[in-house]
Amino acid sequence: MKLSERKHFILCSVIEDYIKDAAPITSGGVQDKHIPKVSTATLRNELNALESMGYLKQLHTSGGRIPTPEGYKYYVSTLLEDFEVSEDKLKKVQKFLDNETSSLTQILSGIAELISETTNYPTVMIANGYDKLVIEEVKIIPLIDNEALVLFRTRSGIVKNSMQTNASEKVCDDASAFLTRKFAGKTIGEMLEGDTLIKSLGEVQTFRALVNSLLESMRKFISKTKIDIRGESAVNLLNENERRSIKQTKKILSLLGDKEELYNQVETSSDDITVKIGEENEKMEGCALITAPIVIKGAPVASIAVIGPDRMDYANIAQALKIVMSELNKTK
């Protein structure tokens, strides 16, 4: 809903105040802090209008108001429209990406840790796009104890897996060359589909069993959702200086411990930041989830989410996520 300039200013200002101190919003408070030249009667009318639009709600008939999920969403959408890069955050992200490892799993884990440290809230990363990665090279490296390391070098980073095999180094090299020749330029998902690969092996019996084992191990690897939970910041939710209910903190900790529910909440097909706020889901009552896709070199490989109370620092979180998304899209 389009708001007038004054309503927009009032709504965004009082939400920022509420995030800081959790004090209910009153016309007198708005006048004292933000618009001293406007009467409290006029400001009361503005707050009544914002309430009727669904952006604020009154806890008690004679009490102040608090933001609703719709109010928070309006506020976040405004933040993203007026997005300004923080130089400190940008340098931190650029430093991480400059020093990134080639392992995609480690890259994603590092991003989750960086976001959690930057925002001071628990963060969840779900790697759900490995099957869409485009293969550049396949390498099978025999190790000890009948085990081999499988490396898929893709445009978005290296995917590592292991498998059981007693194949010799020569057989591993031959199978690696075959898989690279046949599937370079195709996705991991395409490699795993159908029986085209098996038929194409023809009379090459020396590495048929090795390739079969590799396919089976990769199917299991892809089918397992990779969830990286950075919950160290959850202790900050118990900070005694924060006016936050124990009920909210318990909801967040409960959600962090439920991987199936986390997947349902975090997994997204959106190409931008999305916001979910408590009242939409009983399991998230009083909580909020800000989710963003992680796209590396054009491939959507994961979804990341920051979890916290509905009265959390949306500006800091949205900015951190937006910077990471922007910088990842720039990677060559």
Side-chain angles (χ1 to χ4, degrees):
M1 187 180 297
K2 184 69 174 178
L3 297 181
S4 67
E5 185 176 343
R6 186 161 69 183
K7 284 185 176 65
H8 171 86
F9 175 76
I10 291 173
L11 180 60
C12 291
S13 297
V14 299
I15 287 178
E16 288 175 356
D17 289 344
Y18 186 75
I19 287 172
K20 290 176 184 176
D21 58 27
I25 300 152
T26 64
S27 56
V30 176
Q31 184 187 55
D32 292 341
K33 293 181 179 179
H34 305 292
I35 316 180
K37 294 182 179 181
V38 178
S39 70
T40 56
T42 299
L43 293 173
R44 192 176 300 113
N45 288 335
E46 293 284 33
L47 293 176
N48 286 337
L50 289 169
E51 183 177 356
S52 67
M53 293 175 183
Y55 295 127
L56 299 175
K57 66 180 179 181
Q58 200 164 22
L59 295 176
H60 308 289
T61 305
S62 59
R65 297 168 176 84
I66 65 172
T68 65
E70 289 306 312
Y72 283 125
K73 286 183 179 180
Y74 180 91
Y75 174 66
V76 174
S77 67
T78 299
L79 287 174
L80 297 179
E81 287 176 1
D82 300 331
F83 175 69
E84 295 181 3
V85 173
S86 161
E87 288 300 320
D88 289 340
K89 289 191 182 72
L90 181 58
K91 288 178 182 177
K92 186 179 289 188
V93 172
Q94 289 173 335
K95 181 179 179 180
F96 165 74
L97 293 177
D98 288 343
N99 296 322
E100 69 183 34
T101 67
S102 56
S103 166
L104 186 56
T105 301
Q106 288 176 299
I107 291 173
L108 295 179
S109 182
I111 292 172
E113 183 175 7
L114 178 65
I115 292 294
S116 182
E117 290 177 353
T118 301
T119 63
N120 231 12
Y121 288 104
T123 301
V124 177
M125 178 78 76
I126 293 181
N128 51 8
Y130 283 177
D131 58 325
K132 302 179 185 68
L133 298 175
V134 178
I135 298 169
E136 292 184 337
E137 182 183 11
V138 181
K139 187 68 176 176
I140 306 170
I141 303 171
L143 304 174
I144 59 175
D145 296 330
N146 293 330
E147 192 171 27
L149 176 66
V150 182
L151 303 177
F152 285 84
R153 182 162 60 85
T154 76
R155 295 173 187 172
S156 302
I158 290 177
V159 176
K160 297 180 180 179
N161 192 22
S162 61
M163 58 179 287
Q164 292 294 314
T165 181
N166 58 4
S168 67
E169 183 175 354
K170 173 68 165 58
V171 171
C172 289
D173 287 344
D174 289 345
S176 299
F178 170 82
L179 292 170
T180 298
R181 184 173 65 253
K182 184 163 184 65
F183 290 102
K186 297 183 180 179
T187 67
I188 292 178
E190 288 175 318
M191 186 193 76
L192 299 178
E193 290 176 355
D195 59 357
T196 305
L197 173 62
I198 305 303
K199 291 180 179 178
S200 69
L201 290 175
E203 299 301 317
V204 185
Q205 299 294 332
T206 54
F207 54 76
R208 178 186 290 273
L210 176 62
V211 171
N212 282 335
S213 295
L214 181 147
L215 291 177
E216 182 61 27
S217 68
M218 280 304 296
R219 289 191 183 101
K220 290 179 180 178
F221 177 82
I222 296 294
S223 67
K224 292 180 181 178
T225 303
K226 303 293 182 296
I227 298 184
D228 189 345
I229 301 172
R230 296 288 165 164
E232 298 88 349
S233 298
V235 69
N236 296 317
L237 301 175
L238 298 172
N239 189 319
E240 63 181 7
N241 294 320
E242 291 287 338
R243 294 186 182 178
R244 180 173 296 119
S245 73
I246 296 297
K247 183 179 179 181
Q248 278 181 310
T249 302
K250 286 182 177 179
K251 286 272 187 183
I252 295 167
L253 295 176
S254 176
L255 186 59
L256 289 173
D258 187 343
K259 289 190 176 182
E260 183 177 352
E261 183 64 23
L262 274 178
Y263 181 84
N264 292 335
Q265 295 295 335
V266 174
E267 204 275 337
T268 179
S269 58
S270 173
D271 59 1
D272 206 347
I273 293 173
T274 58
V275 182
K276 295 181 181 180
I277 296 178
E279 291 183 2
E280 301 168 353
N281 185 311
E282 184 180 348
K283 292 185 177 181
M284 285 183 57
E285 183 181 358
C287 308
L289 199 73
I290 302 183
T291 305
I294 296 297
V295 180
I296 302 178
K297 298 181 182 178
V301 297
S303 300
I304 188 169
V306 178
I307 303 172
D310 53 11
R311 186 183 63 80
M312 65 180 175
D313 189 353
Y314 292 99
N316 183 37
I317 296 166
Q319 187 181 69
L321 291 174
K322 202 72 173 179
I323 290 173
V324 168
M325 290 170 63
S326 176
E327 290 303 305
L328 285 173
N329 281 330
K330 292 178 185 177
T331 56
K332 302 298 183 182

